[in-house]
Amino acid sequence: MNRQLAMVLDLNKCLGCQTCTVACKKLWNQDQGTDYAYWNNVETAPGKGFPRLWQETGGRNADGSVKRGEIPSLDADYGRAWKFNHDKTFFKSNGPREWLKPESGTQWGPNWDEDHGAGAYPQENHYFYLPRLCNHCTHPACLDACPRGAIEKRSDNGIVLVNQDQCHGYRFCVEACPYKKVYFDPKRQVSTKCIFCLPRIEEGVAPACARQCPGRLRFVGFLDDPAGPIHKLVNEYKVAIPLHPEFGTGPNVYYVPPLSPEGIDDEGRPTGKPRIPPAYLESLFGPAVHDAMARLAAEREKTTRGEGSAVMDLLIAYDWSKNFALDDARTREVI
Amino acid sequence: MKTTVTLIAPPTAMQPGGYIATAYADRSQPGTSRADLEVQESTAGWTVALRWRAPQAVIDATDNPRQFIDGAALFAPTVKDAPWISMGTPDMPLEGVLWRADRAQPWRVSAQGLGSVQRAEAPAGWTTAARYANGTWQLTFTLPAFAALTVTRQLGFAVWQGAQSERAGLKSVTPGWINL
């Protein structure tokens, strides 16, 4: 039975609080060797992202063909975990104390260009938050790159896993993933990646990043479940689309693209054009973004007119239990 | 026996999966062009010494996901003339020993085809002595019992230069079995 678990993230609701990032990090990546690894991160778009320039350094060209990817630099692309001068700031008894600051030079980090965005202020400045995790692709570039067959795509739920007993730490998967969502643990000398919180899934509990999201912007379920939120948002309402579909890996994390207010001209009058350029969104989500945004805008209009909208009701998450449909009799609410 | 072996880069086109064959299609030259080999057999077992040029030694990568570690491996076929470049078959497995510069002890390794290498702790008495000086690695394996080599008397070896991001099938190897 080939089934695919998937996630939808409504970018109109993400406020960049990083609760998902912390929930994931606390659960899976606190050991030495994983300190720089964020299976889930939230980056500001437009921006260079995390790891830096990930959209340019993966193992796929814009036409989906294979190219040699790069392993990001720990300092320049991921950013080393910062160590602060706590002793000199808080515990020094003699002489002037220092302000709290990183002890070593810093070049980049998981949230380095937060809120920078793009566009001239105040006419057209804009940004939005882009939460990212492994896409558990239908055709995983990481799996294709592993010469040892250490990466498996499960048939019962489509989750992509690294068998760490089989992994010899060659890192072709890190190179090849066009989303740069495979990390190398240099202490244990193996690759690691998001496991879609498989142990939680097996207990009928949504992944930590989704369950902990205060904005209720994440939806989890099977793509082929017509009663679930994923099938509705992706296949029925067609308002959720994948990131960089042109890479050709068939990502199974989908995004509801962000609508944005109008820009203004030099006199402060609305221009009628959205602040986030549609062309930029197309560069992220492909041409399907335009139809998705048009449908979304139409549903918003219906709601404004008081007609009601099943799409908006689902996205607003009035009933949070509808965000998750794990098709498991044991599905339950657990933190 | 004592000889100098010209090494080759195994064809990347034969690597498992679709990525390496395409992404590294331009890799045709080995990172190490030749190596010195000295093999001695005695009642105490086998002693195999390798010597190769390595402009930069990499012995630690615990703080750098981009860094790969120097290494070398010896293999012998369990069945004479088993496929070497494609690392044996299930019917004709290879047995060997793998040294990596960050480890005090070698691994015992076996292979039944590309991408199939299994690592295990080496038997008692299997040791390596490695020394890096003047841009050259000198590595000696002491192997009291190396059954496959004793039976088939064929040996192949591989060298990985971490500084050139060599790992897995990106390596320098003997073109075929060396008959002892």
Side-chain angles (χ1 to χ4, degrees), chain A residues 36 59 66-69 71-74 77 80 144-145 147-148 166 168-172 175-176 184 186-187 189, chain B residues 15-20 22-24 26 61-69 100 115-119 167-168 170:
Chain A
Y36 77 96
V66 169
K67 67 169 180 176
R68 189 184 300 183
I71 298 173
S73 156
L74 180 54
D77 300 324
R80 206 175 284 271
D144 185 50
R148 292 190 50 73
Q166 280 278 49
H168 280 187
Y170 297 147
R171 284 160 269 179
F172 293 112
E175 279 183 15
F184 178 66
K187 296 293 182 196
Q189 296 278 312
Chain B
Q15 287 293 310
Y19 173 76
I20 299 173
T22 305
Y24 289 88
D26 60 345
T62 54
D63 195 34
N64 186 350
R66 273 184 165 171
Q67 191 74 273
F68 294 91
I69 302 167
R100 212 171 63 182
S116 71
V117 169
Q118 297 295 319
R119 301 188 299 212
R167 75 278 200 194
L170 306 182

Side-chain angles (χ1 to χ4, degrees), chain B residues 77-149:
Chain B
T78 56
V79 177
K80 205 169 178 68
D81 295 324
W84 160 233
I85 296 296
S86 56
M87 303 291 288
T89 69
D91 294 332
M92 294 188 283
L94 312 186
E95 296 286 343
V97 56
L98 169 64
W99 165 81
R100 212 171 63 182
D102 62 335
R103 284 172 53 92
Q105 296 298 320
W107 278 296
R108 179 179 202 156
V109 287
S110 59
Q112 300 184 358
L114 289 174
S116 71
V117 169
Q118 297 295 319
R119 301 188 299 212
E121 289 303 313
W126 283 26
T127 60
T128 55
R131 178 169 175 265
Y132 181 78
N134 302 318
T136 300
W137 273 113
Q138 295 185 70
L139 172 65
T140 303
F141 293 91
T142 302
L143 309 167
F146 191 170
L149 184 59

Side-chain angles (χ1 to χ4, degrees), chain A residues 237 294-313:
Chain A
Y237 304 147
R295 289 188 195 97
L296 204 57
E299 294 297 325
R300 276 194 179 180
E301 280 300 314
K302 283 168 62 178
T303 306
T304 303
R305 292 197 300 269
E307 296 173 13
S309 161
V311 180
M312 297 312 297
D313 285 353

Side-chain angles (χ1 to χ4, degrees), chain A residues 126-252:
Chain A
H126 60 274
Y127 65 81
F128 62 92
Y129 298 112
L130 181 64
R132 297 204 309 116
L133 64 154
C134 169
N135 287 287
H136 296 277
C137 298
T138 302
H139 309 291
C142 56
L143 188 154
D144 185 50
C146 180
R148 292 190 50 73
I151 299 180
E152 171 200 12
K153 184 170 178 65
R154 286 177 57 134
S155 60
D156 56 341
N157 53 30
I159 294 174
V160 177
L161 300 171
V162 179
N163 180 334
Q164 303 207 335
D165 293 327
Q166 280 278 49
C167 177
H168 280 187
Y170 297 147
R171 284 160 269 179
F172 293 112
C173 52
V174 180
E175 279 183 15
C177 174
Y179 301 93
K180 283 287 176 274
K181 275 297 173 188
V182 185
Y183 298 85
F184 178 66
D185 178 340
K187 296 293 182 196
R188 293 188 302 129
Q189 296 278 312
V190 291
S191 290
T192 73
K193 60 177 286 302
C194 162
I195 58 174
F196 215 72
C197 284
L198 180 61
R200 291 169 65 105
I201 294 290
E202 288 176 331
E203 291 296 321
V205 182
C209 59
R211 178 59 182 81
Q212 299 294 331
C213 175
R216 302 184 178 187
L217 62 93
R218 297 195 187 216
F219 300 81
V220 180
F222 285 92
L223 263 172
D224 63 356
D225 175 10
I230 304 299
H231 186 273
K232 287 178 179 171
L233 293 168
V234 174
N235 297 324
E236 188 178 334
Y237 304 147
K238 298 186 191 311
V239 294
I241 49 181
L243 179 63
H244 286 303
E246 74 277 12
F247 289 152
T249 58
N252 287 301

